[in-house]
Amino acid sequence: MKESFPIEVADYAISKGIQDKPAFAWWIPHNVRKRKRFLGKVKSKYWERTSEGKRVLNGLDLQCADIQNAFLTAPAIEKCYLVAGPEFGEEEGKVFIVRRALYGLKSSSLAETLEDLGFSSSTADPDVWMRAAVKPDGEEYYVYTLCYVDDILCISMKAKEVMEGIGRIFKFKKGKIEPPKSYLGARLQKKTLDGHNMWTMSSYDYVVAAVKNVKETLKDSPKWKIPKNAPTPMTSADEPEMDGSSKLGQEDHTYF
């Protein structure tokens, strides 16, 4: 136990007041110091990332919009075809030529529009588009446009100007270009911290919805029950890599 779960055992011994017993006297201080060093490094990395994020977004504007019927009206600019599967019913086996853009194609009218505006698709994530720019004070930075199906989010000193450029080609839902309140399930808010205006992202709404979903699913389950006291999401003895249960069916796969 001491080797497999050193931190848990140390915490347990301290909570029970047996940390001075021969079995723990030398061992617990060593593990407590090790934990403090580990947490110190984690916190240091966290604040490095937070400070960098604050620096990058400081002074930049965020604007978003939804493209109306983005992939229903846009013509495909690639030559694509598909062989119909069983989901096509009587048409199964036939060859179809794709005439309208499908989400997931490497190119689309939206991609072409962004390229015309000087953006390049990121190698790491093709849905992240970027363009080099310079702030009024001479600082160089990148303008980012994030695309997910019909959701467009722009991060720039002149975000609305970029969105208006896209809007000249695509019609936005209700003609709206506005600061985002949420994006892909995350809550976005503009706040002031230490005199700096910045954007924050919270997963609160997503987590609330996920917990509600789990509760509803397990409410009438004869097999699973929600524990009344659960200090952690998983027990300390859990070994997911040793899971030998059968694979999920289609319904459970979709749920998870």
Side-chain angles (χ1 to χ4, degrees):
M1 287 291 289
K2 288 164 68 176
E3 291 182 1
S4 301
F5 307 102
I7 302 301
E8 290 85 347
V9 172
D11 286 341
Y12 177 81
I14 293 172
S15 68
K16 296 298 182 181
I18 58 175
Q19 66 270 27
D20 295 326
K21 298 294 182 180
F24 300 110
W26 68 270
W27 180 80
I28 285 183
H30 168 72
N31 278 278
V32 170
R33 286 196 300 270
K34 185 164 64 174
R35 177 175 61 177
K36 287 180 178 178
R37 287 197 301 270
F38 173 76
L39 290 176
K41 290 181 180 179
V42 171
K43 288 180 179 178
S44 174
K45 290 295 182 183
Y46 168 78
W47 287 115
E48 283 178 13
R49 290 196 300 270
T50 303
S51 298
E52 178 65 12
K54 181 171 70 174
R55 186 191 70 78
V56 171
L57 287 180
N58 185 29
L60 299 184
D61 185 26
L62 270 69
Q63 295 288 330
C64 70
D66 290 344
I67 295 179
Q68 185 169 309
N69 299 330
F71 298 97
L72 296 178
T73 60
I77 58 177
E78 294 179 68
K79 292 182 178 180
C80 298
Y81 74 92
L82 61 89
V83 178
E87 63 274 14
F88 282 79
E90 296 179 355
E91 307 293 339
E92 182 179 359
K94 292 184 178 180
V95 177
F96 286 80
I97 297 175
V98 179
R99 296 194 179 278
R100 296 293 175 182
L102 295 175
Y103 180 68
L105 295 181
K106 290 186 177 180
S107 62
S108 67
S109 294
L110 178 57
E112 194 174 46
T113 299
L114 289 170
E115 288 175 349
D116 290 342
L117 291 173
F119 285 90
S120 298
S121 179
S122 167
T123 303
D125 186 340
D127 289 332
V128 176
W129 294 74
M130 51 192 184
R131 181 181 72 188
V134 180
K135 292 183 178 180
D137 61 3
E139 181 184 354
E140 296 180 345
Y141 77 106
Y142 278 99
V143 175
Y144 288 98
T145 300
L146 314 181
C147 307
Y148 185 77
V149 189
D150 60 350
D151 292 332
I152 310 293
L153 175 67
C154 181
I155 307 170
S156 170
M157 291 289 292
K158 300 178 180 179
K160 195 161 188 177
E161 185 178 298
V162 175
M163 297 298 288
E164 288 172 347
I166 298 173
R168 284 193 284 270
I169 307 298
F170 292 92
K171 183 178 180 180
F172 293 139
K173 292 179 181 177
K174 299 181 180 179
K176 282 187 176 181
I177 300 174
E178 57 188 359
K181 295 179 181 178
S182 65
Y183 189 72
L184 304 185
R187 181 189 296 183
L188 298 177
Q189 289 180 301
K190 193 172 185 179
K191 295 185 177 182
T192 301
L193 182 63
D194 297 332
H196 297 281
N197 292 324
M198 63 190 67
W199 285 90
T200 63
M201 178 180 287
S202 168
S203 60
Y204 178 82
D205 295 333
Y206 182 87
V207 172
V208 168
V211 171
K212 181 181 179 181
N213 192 2
V214 171
K215 285 184 176 180
E216 288 294 323
T217 301
L218 299 184
K219 183 172 61 176
D220 301 319
S221 173
K223 184 178 180 181
W224 304 104
K225 298 296 179 184
I226 299 177
K228 293 183 179 180
N229 295 307
T232 60
M234 301 172 69
T235 66
S236 59
D238 188 67
E239 297 180 345
E241 70 277 7
M242 302 298 290
D243 185 6
S245 59
S246 58
K247 293 183 179 180
L248 296 175
Q250 184 61 46
E251 184 176 344
D252 287 336
H253 182 273
T254 301
Y255 169 73
F256 280 100

